[in-house]
Amino acid sequence: MGVRPMLFLVAALLLLGVVLGAVAHAPLAFSVAVGAVIAIWLGVFALREHQGRDRGTSTH
């Protein structure tokens, strides 16, 4: 494993810690609402990717 993947991993873990810290201080209703928006966005993305593969083309 080279230096670049390790730096990426450290940066990703640092960002995750910052985000989790922010969520811990946000009101529960806000956290749930943001989580629902992200879940819907990921669901739409997955559906579009799945449909693109069925047609044999990419949606990129």
Side-chain angles (χ1 to χ4, degrees), residues 1-2 4 6-9 12 14 19-20 23-25 28-29 32 34 40 43 47 55 57-60:
M1 201 169 185
R4 285 187 190 248
M6 290 297 288
L7 289 176
F8 176 77
L9 182 61
L14 181 65
V19 170
L20 288 177
V23 169
H25 295 287
L28 181 61
V32 170
V34 171
I40 291 169
L47 184 63
R55 289 188 305 230
T57 61
S58 178
T59 57
H60 300 296

Side-chain angles (χ1 to χ4, degrees), residues 1-58:
M1 201 169 185
V3 173
R4 285 187 190 248
M6 290 297 288
L7 289 176
F8 176 77
L9 182 61
V10 169
L13 289 173
L14 181 65
L15 183 61
L16 179 64
V18 169
V19 170
L20 288 177
V23 169
H25 295 287
L28 181 61
F30 176 77
S31 299
V32 170
V34 171
V37 168
I38 292 171
I40 291 169
W41 176 49
L42 289 174
V44 168
F45 176 77
L47 184 63
R48 289 182 62 197
E49 285 292 314
H50 183 69
Q51 287 176 347
R53 287 200 180 111
D54 286 345
R55 289 188 305 230
T57 61
S58 178

